[in-house]
Amino acid sequence: MALVTSGRVTNGDRKWLERAVALAWRARERGDHPFGALLVTPHGGVVEALNSVITGADPTGHAETNLVRLAGKTDRATRSAGVLYTSTEPCAMCAGAIYWSGIGRVVFALSEQGLADMVADEEGVPPLRLPSREVFARGGRPIVVDGPVGLVSATAVHEGFWG
């Protein structure tokens, strides 16, 4: 099993999660699904991404996959030592992209189950209920996963969107 849970979420982690939620609000305001993600590198660099499923007419345009594409321009060692913060737990597709990118730690606010409780379906398709930890656990390298982190803002960004 390649999954590690540190169990330690710092105030700094919470600050970055709030930034991810702010990015989710930006995505929602421009007409996309309300998800945001960012990668903080060990040298203090920050790469940010929004969901672009609607505006990009791309069903793979999730915040995390968009982030992985952008972060792919950095070297693997930087990605491995970086932390990906996301407003909502990565879906199975995004977890696979994160795994293949080499990112070393993922911190998320709203859980996959918490989102599923609010979303009956997306454009007629029921959610794929597969927690990211289950995806990461099938891999051959460790990924530290911390979450869910209870932020009221992470739930609020979804309220009224999916109905």
Side-chain angles (χ1 to χ4, degrees), residues 7 14-15 27 29-31 34-35 37 40 45 61 63 72 91 107 114 117 125 128 132 149 153 156:
R14 289 178 184 278
K15 177 189 89 164
E29 289 164 359
R30 73 176 191 190
F35 300 97
V40 178
C91 72
V107 183
D117 290 346
V125 179
L128 176 61
S132 62
V149 176
S153 59

Side-chain angles (χ1 to χ4, degrees), residues 23-44:
L23 294 170
W25 276 109
R26 278 186 41 206
R28 179 179 177 159
E29 289 164 359
R30 73 176 191 190
D32 280 304
H33 301 158
F35 300 97
L38 57 106
L39 178 71
V40 178
T41 70
H43 307 296

Side-chain angles (χ1 to χ4, degrees), residues 77-141:
T78 298
R79 292 191 309 272
S80 177
V83 180
L84 187 152
Y85 295 94
T86 184
S87 60
T88 305
E89 182 174 2
C91 72
M93 174 184 70
C94 292
I98 292 164
Y99 175 82
W100 290 112
S101 75
I103 291 170
R105 181 176 180 227
V106 175
V107 183
F108 64 89
L110 182 64
S111 70
E112 172 270 337
Q113 183 60 57
L115 179 64
D117 290 346
M118 295 190 310
V119 179
D121 63 52
E122 181 185 324
E123 299 169 359
V125 179
L128 176 61
R129 292 190 166 103
L130 181 61
S132 62
R133 281 182 172 87
E134 290 185 35
V135 176
F136 295 141
R138 299 296 182 127
R141 69 173 184 85

Side-chain angles (χ1 to χ4, degrees), residues 5-19:
T5 300
S6 76
R8 59 171 178 77
V9 175
T10 67
N11 287 335
D13 291 331
R14 289 178 184 278
K15 177 189 89 164
W16 289 116
L17 283 174
E18 289 290 0
R19 177 64 188 152

